[in-house]
Structure formats: structure tokens, C-alpha cells
Amino acid sequence: METFADGFGRRFRYLRISLTEVCNFRCVYCLPNGYQKVAGPALMTPLEIERLGRVFSQRGVAKFRLTGGEPTVRRDLGEIIGRLAALQGVNKVAMTTNGWNLARHIDEWAAAGLTNLNVSVDSLEPDLFHRITGHNRLNSVLAGVDRALDLALPSVKLNAVLQRDAVGGGFDRFADYVRSRPVAVRFIELMRTGDNAAFFEDQHVPGGDLQAWLTARGWTPRPRGADDGPAIEYSHPDHLGRLGLIAPYSPGFCDSCNRLRITASGKLRLCLFGDDGVDLRHLLDRDDAEPLEALIESALSIKPRGHRLAEGRSGDTRNLSQLGG
Ligand code: SAM
Ligand code: SF4
């Protein structure tokens, strides 16, 4: 069966599913005042997520990423991982987490079928980590990462948002961290959202600063795989792990877009920085793939060519906890 494609010939083999907008951290660029409860539609159930996942997997999606908000605040997370991992044709079930309860639960999630783990760690300095996230938990987050490495998960990565206050000696610390660990640390350029304009103006660091740092120290870029995200990863002969960059402001970033997003309440979101989304929820109460496929296809025909961040436009995205980045 044919892979979902859009009007620009881009094919979609990767789906990001948000499990909740709730988060227990207060990252300065995302939810500086913490998650504020708003009334809204109920979260998709594990069965609805499985139905959705089945339709996408039948159309060539082999990789799902669970995100949020903070996906690990859901008690049924293990069940959701298991249902997606059991779908035919699915070879990767990934998750992005802030790592607050990783050390306690990673064994259970790995047993359920989690293959790829991304943990957000913006700084390896405990005080700065505390200031950025609102939680003094760096050591326990890193203990969870080490446990995931012990379990030999196929992929363990860290995400670090590039921000002026953290770059100073930050690159050196992360380089030291990956010297003996098979971990990729990917720095993400800070993105402007509806809520963080002032922080963005003060803290945005262009990805080119990291690239210059890497090149000057002998790190070299590696080729990208077919279902990889937009990161450019660099390796170095003296380091087991890699350092990388995700640079959404670079020209052509959207040309190779291979991802779609589903909100926690079941809307198909065509672009991270677009508006609203197409509601799929009303078709998830039964096992009937056809109308769901038709709706997704018609939505994809209007997927925009790219975001308009360079013009300062973030769509209706107030912060990334709404959509999971
Ligand atoms: N709570 C989980 C976490 O932090 O890993 C998953 C959701 S979070 C929104 C997903 C990723 O988006 C995290 O790595 C986070 O650092 C990143 N992120 C959030 N807001 C961002 C922004 N304005 N610019 C760049 N990255 C951002
Ligand atoms: Fe929560 Fe992730 Fe946003 Fe931080 S980046 S506030 S952990 S959703």
C-alpha cells in the first residue's frame, strides 16, 4: 500500500503522537510558569492510539514517537508502547521525555517495546539544569540514561536546547559526556513560540556557533538515514558518542520533512508551526481504516511547504508542550 505523501512529493514514514499536554517541569523556554490546566477534549485512549497507529503502519509508517507535554505522566504509558510495538511493520517506538521517572520505569518500558529514547537535558551543570527546568534532578535523570544504556536500548539520545546561558562551557561538558558513552547529544536551536518571544530575543543562539565549535575541534558530519529526523550529527575519533544540531531556522529545513503529528486529543497537525489541525478522533471509535485514510489523505493535500518562523510567525503554537516539538 502506498505511503502517505503530500502535494510536494514528501513521504511520511514517521509519526509523532502527543500523549498529553500536561508537564511537571517548568522549562524557561516552554512552560516557565508550569502547566496551566485548561478544559479540553479527553486524551486518546490506548485503544484509540492503537487504531490510529494501525492505519499509519499499514501506510508505511514504521516509526512512532511518543511525546507531550510529558508522556511519562500517563500511567498507561507501558500499555501504549506495547500496543504500538505489536503492530505489523513497526520497527521503532520512540519517546521524548524529560527523564524525571526514567530510572524507575525504563526497564518496564523497554520490556514493553520501547526502542528509541530521547531525554531532554539542557545542561550538565546541576545548578543550571535546576534553573532551566525548575527541578533539581539532573543526577537522577542521568542515572536513568545510564540504565537505558545498560539495557542496550537500540538508540539513546539527549536533546539540549541551545540557549545563551548554557553554551559557555556547555559544549565541552557534553563532549566529555559522550567520550565514553554511545549517546548522541543533539542541540536544538531555540524556536520562537507564541509565549516565549522575549526569552527568544535574549537567548537564541544560531546553530552556526555550534558548527564552528565542532569543526574547530575535528568533529565531522555523518550521512543521514531514511527515517532520521532533521538532525545533522557529527562524530569524532576520540569520542564514542556523537554531537549534533537541529537547526529549524536553516534554509531548506522543511524540504525533507518526513513527519506528521497527532495531538493528545487526536488532531492531525500538518506543521509544528501551523494552525489548528484536522480532527481524526471521531473516526477512532471503531476499526474502520478507510474513512480515516481518506481524511488523512485529503488533509495532506494542503500541508504547507514550510514553516514561517523566519518571518516571526509561529502559527497558533503558544509553546511546544502543546505538540511535543
Ligand atoms: N517533555 C518532554 C521533553 O521535554 O523531552 C517532551 C516534550 S518537549 C516539548 C520536546 C522537546 O522540545 C524537548 O527536547 C524540548 O527541550 C524541546 N523544546 C521545547 N520548547 C522548545 C523551543 N521553544 N525551542 C526548541 N526546542 C524546544
Ligand atoms: Fe515540559 Fe518538555 Fe516543555 Fe520542559 S520542554 S516544560 S519538560 S514539555
Side-chain angles (χ1 to χ4, degrees):
M1 204 174 273
E2 221 172 298
T3 323
F4 285 125
D6 70 2
F8 300 100
R10 293 174 295 193
R11 299 194 167 275
F12 300 97
R13 297 196 171 83
Y14 174 30
L15 183 71
R16 300 173 71 98
I17 304 173
S18 173
L19 296 186
T20 175
E21 291 189 12
V22 175
C23 186
N24 52 349
F25 274 26
R26 298 190 296 274
C27 298
V28 272
Y29 46 80
C30 183
L31 293 175
N33 303 314
Y35 171 74
Q36 311 289 320
K37 196 170 168 25
V38 280
L43 302 177
M44 285 186 291
T45 65
L47 179 59
E48 287 172 318
I49 293 170
E50 179 187 342
R51 286 190 176 124
L52 189 71
R54 179 170 299 111
V55 166
F56 277 94
S57 66
Q58 285 166 348
R59 296 293 297 263
V61 170
K63 176 177 177 182
F64 294 103
R65 176 171 300 282
L66 304 176
T67 177
E70 177 48 43
T72 65
V73 301
R74 276 188 71 154
R75 286 169 195 265
D76 51 8
L77 175 60
E79 180 186 350
I80 294 168
I81 293 171
R83 284 177 183 260
L84 291 174
L87 293 172
Q88 210 179 350
V90 172
N91 54 31
K92 290 179 185 163
V93 178
M95 179 167 70
T96 304
T97 172
N98 63 29
W100 71 287
N101 59 358
L102 190 58
R104 211 171 342 129
H105 290 289
I106 185 61
D107 287 60
E108 171 203 335
W109 299 331
L114 188 75
T115 56
N116 295 44
L117 177 72
N118 286 28
V119 187
S120 299
V121 179
D122 290 340
S123 171
L124 291 173
E125 281 178 81
D127 288 348
L128 188 53
F129 180 93
H130 188 172
R131 253 190 291 141
I132 292 172
T133 63
H135 287 264
N136 190 9
R137 276 186 174 265
L138 177 64
N139 289 339
S140 103
V141 171
L142 293 179
V145 174
D146 282 338
R147 179 65 193 152
L149 290 172
D150 289 346
L151 291 171
L153 245 65
S155 165
V156 179
K157 296 180 179 175
L158 301 191
N159 290 352
V161 174
L162 275 176
Q163 43 203 305
R164 196 159 302 288
D165 285 349
V167 289
F171 296 155
D172 293 299
R173 274 185 204 90
F174 279 110
D176 272 354
Y177 182 82
V178 301
R179 196 180 296 278
S180 57
R181 287 182 178 84
V183 172
V185 177
R186 288 113 49 87
F187 294 90
I188 310 173
E189 257 184 347
L190 176 65
M191 292 177 256
R192 180 202 291 270
T193 62
D195 285 352
N196 76 5
F199 184 85
F200 178 88
E201 290 307 327
D202 184 45
Q203 292 287 322
H204 182 257
V205 176
D209 289 12
L210 171 68
Q211 281 171 313
W213 186 96
L214 290 166
T215 307
R217 286 158 184 79
W219 291 78
T220 49
R222 298 162 49 90
R224 287 184 60 212
D227 72 346
D228 282 353
I232 306 168
E233 289 191 357
Y234 291 70
S235 54
H236 189 289
D238 301 339
H239 297 254
L240 199 54
R242 302 192 287 273
L243 297 179
L245 173 65
I246 300 177
Y249 287 88
S250 64
F253 178 80
C254 301
D255 295 351
S256 58
C257 181
N258 63 355
R259 64 218 20 233
L260 294 170
R261 295 179 168 80
I262 303 285
T263 68
S265 59
K267 278 187 176 176
L268 174 66
R269 179 84 179 197
L270 297 169
C271 174
L272 180 54
F273 293 103
D275 290 304
D276 202 25
V278 177
D279 189 18
L280 306 178
R281 188 73 183 275
H282 60 288
L283 297 174
L284 296 178
D285 61 353
R286 66 204 101 123
D287 279 311
D288 186 3
E290 241 172 68
L292 200 50
E293 285 184 56
L295 186 54
I296 295 165
E297 275 169 357
S298 81
L300 280 178
S301 67
I302 55 159
K303 178 171 160 73
R305 181 185 282 271
H307 65 58
R308 301 174 72 181
L309 282 175
E311 298 154 45
R313 297 182 50 171
S314 314
D316 64 5
T317 305
R318 295 189 315 278
N319 56 66
L320 295 198
S321 78
Q322 291 174 277
L323 290 164

